[in-house]
Amino acid sequence: MVEVMMNSNGDYGYMEQEEEWEREGLLDPAWEKQQRKTFTAWCNSHLRKAGTGIDNIEEDFRNGLKLMLLLEVISGETLPKPDRGKMRFHKIANVNKALDFIASKGVKLVSIGAEEIVDGNVKMTLGMIWTIILRFAIQDISVEEMTAKEGLLLWCQRKTAPYKNVNVQNFHLSFKDGLAFCALIHRHRPDLLDYSKLSKDNPLENLNLAFDIAEKYLDIPRMLDPEDLINTPKPDERAIMTYVSCYYHAFQGAQQAETAANRICKVLKVNQENERLMEEYEKLASDLLEWIRRTLPWLESRQTDNSLAGIQKKLDEYRQYRRKHKPPRVEQKAKLETNFNTLQTKLRLSNRPAYMPTEGKMISDISNAWKGLENGEKCFEEWLLAEMMRLERIEHLVQKLKHKSDLHEAWTTGKEDMLASQDFRNCRLAEVKALKKKHEAFESDLAAHQDRVEQIAAIAQELNALDYHDVATINARCQRICDQWDRLGSLTQVRRTALEEAEKLLEKIDQLHLEFAKRAAPFNNWLDGAREDLVDMFIVHTMEEIQGLIEAHEQFKATLGEADKEHLSIVGLYQQVQQIAQQHSIPGGLDNPYTSLTSKDISSKWGDVKNLVPQRDGTLQAELRKQQNNEMMRRQFAEKANNIGPWIEAQMDAVAGIAMGMQGALEDQLNRLKDYEQNVIAYKGHMDELEKIHQGIQEGMIFENSSRVGLTHAVAYLLAPRYTQYTMETLRVGWEQLLTSINRSINEIENQILTRDSKGITQEQLNEYRASFNYFDKNKLAKLSPEEFKSCLVSLGYSIGKDKQGEIEFQRIMAIVDPNGSGGVMFDAFLDFMTRESTDTDTAEQVIDSFRILAADKPYILADELRRELPPDQAEYCIQRMQPYAGPDGVAGALDYMSFSTALYGESDL
């Protein structure tokens, strides 16, 4: 016993064991009955074309004549002339001719002999007819490269998918209730039945309805018995496959419509995805530009409350902006560029025009806005630091001015009344001479205070230059001091003249008192100056400055020995006066008429000076330690920056090298770039450490030569400490450029992979294109000039003549690869040009032809036709966008698919 089976490769094999027949059902009486009925009806559906038929399948094929006739009808070919004799050997000869013809069509007939057919072996005869059905009715069915049984099953599943209560999984149980047959008819001929009125609970009614309609309107004879299908637990799948194949061939014309629908779906999916990317780009661009627009006024604002605390608050806000607010925007800008490049690549690959964003949202517009933002950041930070230095200087000067003014005003208290006094009119000669000498001492003291007045005026002038907010009060006080100083000068001159006139009448005053007064006055002034210097406030920013102050202090301490001698000498003069006055009992002899200074005053001030010296030592040493710490922070920053800077530059060079495209397959390049990206992310901690050091430098107000250079130079140093060429700002920019370069390179490689795969080019071709491009890119700008591009084309075998026609051809090519006329050719455009002209792409004409098939050659299409042939979302996509058909032969609801197809390849609304 032999059965015909189809294996997984679509070939025909045969099982010779009886148990295999039983397992497959050819020995099941119910299945055999279904096969006899179905195979007989199938044979008659073809034999009637020759004006004949069969009644008994195992009897009517025994002489081989109708078997040969059946093969001629279904193949359209002529078999050898049959033997007309009625003898057994004539019948065997005819059957062998039929079997030979079947074998000639690539079917291996193992163990099937003509004798079994001639003898009327029903199972062998059914196996032979099943072989013929498989070869001539089912084998050529192909859906998505599946063949035979799988292809026919997939076709049934697709056609019945939208229908309720239908789930085709096989060729036996899935067809028992008849709804699958009704769904196939309704899908292709909805005018023949109303599927909505059918019920799963009426299988007999459903089967009869489908079989009657198929026989009456589709010319498909009844090949199955509804009662047999319902009553058999598992109907014979060969019988059902045979019957379903007749539906497939009856609706074969609809396959062309399905192919057209698939093409339209593919095109619509591309357009829908492109529109989504355009909308996402517009949204991202608008959001980024709006953020920049809102941020710039803040960066451009120069308002301040003229206090150190206020400007420090602004600096903290700026650091918060750089750490938390800007980094997400850097990522957003990179994503925006990536999405734009991906969109343009997809548009090129789908033969769509390049995407032009709305006005003001081009990549160049975003880059310009970003540059404006970075310039605003740089100017804002420089202003903050300069303002901080200015306010610190102002605060220092205001305190210094107050201290000097307080000392000066304390000294001038009562001086005008003293100078205006006429006390010398009633004095004795000695007293007048004393007053004159006292006045001379006062003049010496007055001259010594001239330097302090000049210092006060200079400080006030500097506060005016620094735009101190309460400069009016400063100027008023300075003016009062200067006016008083002028009056003191005038009064001093008047009193000196009066005393000189009186001196002619009086005797010489005690020279000892006079010498004391002369020596005590300058020494007292020196003591006042020394005390003032020892408590003088200072501000330094470098080791050199504090070391200079320490050296000056050491020089001052070296003069203390001589000063001590002068102190002892002056005290000795007083002691001599005291001794003489006591010895000679001179009344009022201890009262020095030349000066108000006493030995006690001098000694007290001298003691103050000696006490202030060690205090000054401690202050200077504390500042020295502070500057040493500042110097350490400068070196820490430089050491870190000198490591990070070259690392960033090395990564930039490595990424640029990978982006040149000559280091292995694109996937390898992509993986290396992603590895670099992970390395950069992992390295972020070093940048954070450097930011902390930089913050410490700023907070510590570490300047370079701030007392000897202008504010601009000091700010520059604050941004770039010595010992390194790198500033925090250059490293920040380099870091952002590295991230952007990696993201851009990854996107370019992904687009090249997309181009390579969609265009079907090999890695070797891509490497050849890249090698040629890199060779002619002499300046390594990733962009070829027109002449370089022409040489590159020639090197790849592209023929461009040197005549006028060749120039016209080259200009045509340039218009393709450089549509914006930028004067250069990028690699993506170059690669697209080298592949696009030899690659099959969808066109507007192809889409129009596909719609014409769905519309049954009408110049318009209806909404119902679109919903029937396309998936729901794409059908609605077309219905919403198609214009009404305006032709004279249109009907109600007609849609214009031609203008719609053309628009798919035209400019986008966005």
Side-chain angles (χ1 to χ4, degrees), residues 98-340:
L99 295 179
D100 290 342
F101 178 79
I102 295 173
S104 71
K105 296 304 178 182
V107 179
K108 295 181 180 180
L109 300 172
V110 180
S111 300
I112 292 183
E115 292 80 1
E116 288 84 355
I117 305 302
V118 173
D119 292 338
N121 186 317
V122 62
K123 292 179 174 57
M124 191 64 70
T125 302
L126 290 175
M128 178 189 67
I129 297 302
W130 175 241
T131 302
I132 295 172
I133 293 172
L134 281 175
R135 174 57 183 84
F136 295 100
I138 298 178
Q139 179 181 335
D140 293 335
I141 295 175
S142 177
V143 179
E144 286 192 359
E145 299 182 358
M146 295 183 178
T147 59
K149 180 178 178 179
E150 292 82 3
L152 185 60
L153 185 64
L154 179 59
W155 178 79
C156 293
Q157 290 171 341
R158 286 189 171 181
K159 294 301 181 181
T160 61
Y163 291 89
K164 183 179 179 182
N165 294 326
V166 178
N167 183 18
V168 177
Q169 297 297 327
N170 50 59
F171 285 113
H172 36 78
L173 299 179
S174 298
F175 286 86
K176 282 191 67 171
D177 58 12
L179 289 180
F181 292 115
C182 292
L184 288 174
I185 294 173
H186 185 269
R187 178 62 185 269
H188 297 91
R189 291 291 303 275
D191 54 309
L192 297 180
L193 59 84
D194 186 353
Y195 185 85
S196 63
K197 295 181 179 180
L198 302 181
S199 172
K200 189 176 182 68
D201 298 329
N202 300 320
L204 185 61
E205 180 181 329
N206 298 337
L207 289 168
N208 279 318
L209 176 64
F211 295 167
D212 290 343
I213 290 175
E215 188 169 30
K216 182 176 180 181
Y217 297 102
L218 304 178
D219 197 26
I220 300 175
R222 276 179 172 259
M223 299 184 183
L224 300 172
D225 189 324
E227 288 79 2
D228 290 343
L229 292 180
I230 294 172
N231 297 327
T232 304
K234 182 179 180 183
D236 178 56
E237 72 171 4
R238 291 167 182 75
I240 294 177
M241 280 181 63
T242 301
Y243 185 56
V244 171
S245 70
C246 295
Y247 280 71
Y248 175 85
H249 291 293
F251 297 132
Q252 190 171 15
Q255 292 302 107
Q256 188 178 14
E258 183 173 354
T259 301
N262 289 337
R263 178 181 290 277
I264 292 171
C265 289
K266 175 185 174 183
V267 172
L268 293 180
K269 284 181 181 178
V270 171
N271 258 59
Q272 288 171 314
E273 175 64 13
N274 290 343
E275 288 179 7
R276 184 189 67 77
L277 289 176
M278 293 176 191
E279 291 172 357
E280 182 178 353
Y281 174 86
E282 291 286 327
K283 181 179 179 182
L284 284 174
S286 298
D287 181 60
L288 182 59
L289 290 173
E290 174 62 20
W291 177 78
I292 293 175
R293 184 191 67 78
R294 294 196 311 268
T295 304
L296 280 177
W298 174 67
L299 292 174
E300 293 168 354
S301 173
R302 297 296 183 266
Q303 295 181 352
T304 176
D305 60 357
N306 277 310
S307 70
L308 270 176
I311 205 68
Q312 183 63 49
K313 181 179 179 182
K314 280 185 173 290
L315 185 59
D316 292 340
E317 291 173 354
Y318 178 71
R319 292 196 189 103
Q320 188 79 356
Y321 156 80
R322 288 304 300 255
R323 292 178 182 176
K324 294 188 176 179
H325 298 296
K326 188 182 178 186
R329 299 298 178 173
V330 173
E331 296 176 4
Q332 183 178 1
K333 176 175 176 288
K335 180 180 179 183
L336 197 64
E337 294 176 352
T338 298
N339 287 3
F340 183 80

Side-chain angles (χ1 to χ4, degrees), residues 401-536:
L401 178 73
K402 181 179 182 303
H403 178 68
K404 289 185 177 293
S405 297
D406 289 345
L407 289 175
H408 178 77
E409 288 173 346
W411 178 81
T412 59
T413 300
K415 292 295 189 294
E416 290 187 69
D417 294 339
M418 182 271 291
L419 291 173
S421 174
Q422 299 294 314
D423 55 349
F424 61 88
R425 297 295 182 186
N426 299 319
C427 291
R428 295 188 298 267
L429 178 61
E431 294 171 337
V432 170
K433 283 186 173 291
L435 289 175
K436 184 176 180 292
K437 296 304 179 182
K438 180 180 179 181
H439 186 71
E440 290 176 352
F442 171 77
E443 286 183 322
S444 176
D445 197 11
L446 183 68
H449 281 78
Q450 175 71 30
D451 181 60
R452 180 180 294 148
V453 174
E454 290 176 352
Q455 290 178 8
I456 291 172
I459 293 172
Q461 183 178 4
E462 186 172 355
L463 288 172
N464 277 269
L466 291 173
D467 194 23
Y468 175 50
H469 69 94
D470 195 18
V471 73
T473 301
I474 297 297
N475 289 339
R477 188 174 189 184
C478 180
Q479 188 63 46
R480 288 196 304 271
I481 290 173
C482 291
D483 291 345
Q484 184 188 44
W485 185 257
D486 291 339
R487 291 195 303 272
L488 286 175
S490 299
L491 290 173
T492 299
Q493 181 66 28
V494 172
R495 183 173 178 81
R496 184 171 58 81
T497 302
L499 287 173
E500 286 176 351
E501 293 175 352
E503 188 180 15
K504 296 177 182 179
L505 303 174
L506 299 175
E507 294 181 353
K508 185 179 179 180
I509 303 299
D510 187 1
Q511 294 298 317
L512 194 57
H513 278 306
L514 179 59
E515 184 179 357
F516 176 88
K518 286 183 177 180
R519 295 180 67 177
F523 187 66
N524 177 71
N525 186 62
W526 178 85
L527 289 173
D528 288 342
R531 288 195 305 172
E532 183 177 341
D533 289 341
L534 289 171
V535 299
D536 187 28

Side-chain angles (χ1 to χ4, degrees), residues 165 249 311 345 355 392 603 684 693 698 735 769 799 861:
N165 294 326
H249 291 293
I311 205 68
T345 299
Y355 164 57
E392 184 189 40
S603 296
K684 181 65 165 59
I693 297 173
Q698 289 186 334
W735 182 263
Y769 295 152
S799 178
I861 195 167

Side-chain angles (χ1 to χ4, degrees), residues 594-864:
Y594 304 115
T595 179
S596 61
L597 291 173
T598 67
S599 175
K600 184 178 180 180
D601 294 335
I602 298 299
S603 296
S604 176
K605 290 184 178 181
W606 175 247
D608 290 343
V609 168
K610 290 194 295 182
N611 290 332
L612 288 173
V613 168
Q615 295 178 17
R616 184 70 168 183
D617 285 334
T619 302
L620 291 174
Q621 289 302 317
E623 183 63 29
L624 177 62
R625 289 191 295 273
K626 176 183 175 182
Q627 291 303 322
Q628 288 172 340
N629 181 65
N630 291 350
E631 188 72 5
M632 179 186 68
M633 292 183 68
R634 292 190 186 101
R635 294 181 182 276
Q636 285 179 344
F637 180 91
E639 180 181 1
K640 197 72 176 176
N642 288 335
N643 288 331
I644 293 176
W647 186 88
I648 292 177
E649 293 166 358
Q651 300 305 302
M652 289 288 288
D653 292 340
V655 170
I658 295 176
M660 295 299 289
M662 295 302 295
Q663 300 181 11
L666 290 178
E667 286 77 8
D668 295 336
Q669 297 173 30
L670 183 61
N671 290 333
R672 286 199 296 274
L673 285 172
K674 290 183 177 179
D675 290 342
Y676 275 106
E677 184 178 33
Q678 292 303 316
N679 291 339
V680 171
I681 294 174
Y683 200 78
K684 181 65 165 59
H686 296 282
M687 283 292 291
D688 293 339
E689 291 178 11
L690 191 64
E691 284 283 6
K692 290 180 181 177
I693 297 173
H694 183 251
Q695 180 178 346
I697 288 176
Q698 289 186 334
E699 292 174 349
M701 300 299 297
I702 302 173
F703 303 112
E704 174 74 1
N705 300 328
S706 61
S707 63
R708 299 192 296 275
V709 301
L711 292 179
T712 301
H713 293 85
V715 171
Y717 178 76
L718 188 57
L719 294 175
R722 56 184 173 177
Y723 309 122
T724 179
Q725 62 177 337
Y726 299 102
T727 68
M728 193 67 241
E729 182 61 27
T730 58
L731 293 176
R732 288 170 183 159
V733 172
W735 182 263
E736 293 174 0
Q737 289 176 346
L738 176 59
L739 290 175
T740 301
S741 177
I742 292 175
N743 287 329
R744 184 181 295 115
S745 299
I746 288 175
N747 178 245
E748 289 175 355
I749 297 298
E750 289 175 340
N751 286 339
Q752 289 179 26
I753 292 174
L754 184 61
T755 301
R756 181 197 67 191
D757 295 342
S758 62
K759 296 295 186 178
I761 62 175
T762 65
Q763 183 65 43
E764 290 72 18
Q765 289 175 308
L766 189 62
N767 289 342
E768 181 184 4
Y769 295 152
R770 171 56 81 178
S772 297
F773 186 92
N774 292 345
Y775 177 78
F776 289 99
D777 182 15
K778 302 300 184 182
N779 296 326
K780 304 305 177 186
L781 299 176
K783 185 177 184 180
L784 299 182
S785 67
E787 288 303 317
E788 290 173 338
F789 176 56
K790 181 186 288 186
S791 300
C792 186
L793 288 178
V794 172
S795 73
L796 290 170
Y798 205 99
S799 178
I800 300 178
K802 297 183 178 180
D803 54 4
K804 182 177 181 181
Q805 187 61 36
E807 182 61 27
I808 293 174
E809 171 64 11
F810 181 67
Q811 293 304 321
R812 180 191 71 81
I813 296 174
M814 283 299 297
I816 295 173
V817 298
D818 184 23
N820 297 324
S822 64
V825 181
M826 307 300 289
F827 181 70
D828 284 349
F830 168 73
L831 178 61
D832 185 54
F833 171 76
M834 295 304 298
T835 58
R836 67 185 298 178
E837 294 190 354
S838 60
T839 304
D840 181 28
T841 59
D842 290 319
T843 65
E845 291 75 14
Q846 290 174 327
V847 177
I848 290 173
D849 290 340
S850 298
F851 274 116
R852 184 179 291 112
I853 293 172
L854 299 187
D857 288 330
K858 298 190 301 293
Y860 59 83
I861 195 167
L862 301 176
D864 289 342

